[in-house]
Amino acid sequence: MVLGNSSRVTEFILLGLSDTRELQVLFFTIFLLAYAMVLLGNILIIVTIRTDPKLSSPMYFLLCNLSFIDICCTSVTSPRMLVDLLSQRKTIPFEDCVAQLFFLHFVGASEMFLLTVMAYDRYAAICKPLHYTVLMSRQVCWVLVAVCWAGGFLHSLVQTLLTIQLPFCGPNTIDSYFCDVPPVIRLACTDIYVTEWLMASNSGLISLACFLVLVTSYTFILVTIRVRFTEGHWKALSTCGSHVMVVTIFFVPCIFIYLRPFSTFPSDKHICVVYTVLSPVMNPLIYTLRNNEVKASMWKLWKRCRV
């Protein structure tokens, strides 16, 4: 991979989450279990939704896509992090660092857009029930998902191009367990004032805008439920409550990290664990343990597999 800058740095050193051996072993065990839960839980959700015709509504179609994105998102950072936790020297080649940065923002931004679409789906189902089949037809769902992926790609492309045009001539130590825009660009041996503002406008404002759209959607939902409360709306409120939990866990750390250029804190790398590890773990737990339809379909799938 040929990069169009004057970089002399060929690799970066990742400091990881801790330099204490005992903590590294503890983190390895916790994150290995978390990664296994993400893979198994989300694969189970995808298989369940794909094999049960009853789970063919737009909500489950979007949930299936969310599970796939969660698998991709955590797979960008977790495998290397697990290897580095057991390694004495934690290095990553420059090209691999750029690739990790690109794919992290690609799937991360796609998930932001998809969560926003899922909030719109709940808004349409609860506030516009008579028009729901038209507003969220299968064709519309495919278009919305495609737009999410396209938006994630364009966002990531901008972030990556802004990064690789910077010169890196040392130091090469990243105080994190993965390559991300804020810690990487601060190693550039040039003035990054404009670059930081551009990246904060790109990542930070996108995170904030999506979060505000989500909050607005759920505000309309709560107002609608309050005006005409029924048993069906209670179920919808429970579903929305789970969604709000996922959204909060995912968006708040992203806004904190990306919407403040020119500043960094030692705790940033620990906050990043929330949206790279914790959020993908929470999704299958929330969407299965709090959803009777999905649990019933999983139980039927389990009984079919045992026959």
Side-chain angles (χ1 to χ4, degrees):
M1 180 177 179
V2 179
L3 303 177
N5 63 16
S6 56
S7 300
R8 291 195 295 271
V9 171
T10 59
E11 66 178 15
F12 291 107
I13 300 174
L14 300 172
L15 295 183
L17 293 172
S18 173
D19 55 0
T20 304
R21 187 60 182 172
E22 291 76 12
L23 283 178
Q24 289 178 351
V25 174
L26 177 62
F27 288 149
F28 175 84
T29 304
I30 294 174
F31 293 143
L32 179 61
L33 291 175
Y35 187 47
M37 289 176 62
V38 171
L39 294 181
L40 295 176
N42 285 293
I43 289 174
L44 180 58
I45 291 176
I46 293 173
V47 172
T48 301
I49 293 175
R50 298 289 295 176
T51 57
D52 192 341
K54 293 182 179 180
L55 302 180
S56 58
S57 67
M59 181 179 73
Y60 295 114
F61 173 77
L62 297 175
L63 176 58
C64 186
N65 282 274
L66 177 64
S67 294
F68 177 72
I69 289 180
D70 276 337
I71 292 174
C72 296
C73 187
T74 192
S75 295
V76 172
T77 58
S78 291
R80 176 172 286 276
M81 175 178 62
L82 292 171
V83 172
D84 287 344
L85 283 171
L86 299 181
S87 303
Q88 293 295 329
R89 182 173 172 81
K90 305 170 179 60
T91 60
I92 180 171
F94 188 89
E95 292 81 1
D96 291 356
C97 183
V98 172
Q100 187 180 59
L101 184 152
F102 172 82
F103 285 109
L104 178 67
H105 281 266
F106 180 21
V107 294
S110 299
E111 181 165 356
M112 288 185 184
F113 298 137
L114 184 61
L115 288 170
T116 307
V117 170
M118 292 176 71
Y120 171 73
D121 170 72
R122 292 299 84 209
Y123 164 79
I126 297 172
C127 301
K128 306 287 184 180
L130 298 180
H131 302 90
Y132 180 67
T133 55
V134 176
L135 293 174
M136 293 300 295
S137 65
R138 181 50 64 105
Q139 293 78 11
V140 171
C141 288
W142 277 108
V143 170
L144 290 174
V145 170
V147 169
C148 290
W149 283 103
F153 176 80
L154 290 176
H155 159 78
S156 184
L157 184 63
V158 171
Q159 295 289 84
T160 305
L161 290 177
L162 286 173
T163 301
I164 64 177
Q165 55 85 29
L166 296 172
F168 295 92
C169 47
N172 66 336
T173 301
I174 299 175
D175 188 15
S176 184
Y177 58 94
F178 68 102
C179 288
D180 197 8
V181 172
V184 170
I185 65 173
R186 290 190 179 97
L187 298 178
C189 45
T190 186
D191 182 18
I192 59 171
Y193 180 88
V194 176
T195 303
E196 283 201 297
W197 272 114
L198 289 173
M199 290 187 168
S201 301
N202 190 5
S203 294
L205 289 183
I206 286 177
S207 303
L208 182 61
C210 289
F211 184 68
L212 292 178
V213 170
L214 286 159
V215 171
T216 303
S217 298
Y218 288 120
T219 301
F220 279 114
I221 291 173
L222 291 174
V223 171
T224 301
I225 292 175
R226 182 180 178 182
V227 172
R228 54 175 193 270
F229 191 83
T230 65
E231 184 178 351
H233 285 110
W234 174 258
K235 179 181 177 181
L237 180 61
S238 178
T239 300
C240 290
S242 301
H243 196 175
V244 169
M245 186 184 302
V246 175
V247 164
T248 303
I249 292 174
F250 183 75
F251 275 93
V252 171
C254 290
I255 294 172
F256 177 78
I257 294 293
Y258 297 113
L259 198 59
R260 49 178 182 83
F262 321 118
S263 62
T264 182
F265 303 107
S267 61
D268 282 0
K269 59 184 178 182
H270 300 99
I271 294 174
C272 290
V273 173
V274 176
Y275 63 84
T276 59
V277 178
L278 180 60
S279 180
V281 170
M282 293 294 292
N283 285 348
L285 294 176
I286 289 175
Y287 284 109
T288 54
L289 296 181
R290 295 181 58 86
N291 191 306
N292 292 329
E293 291 179 337
V294 175
K295 286 191 292 186
S297 297
M298 286 182 176
W299 179 245
K300 289 191 296 184
L301 178 64
W302 169 253
K303 288 193 293 186
R304 286 204 305 267
C305 293
R306 293 185 61 186
V307 175

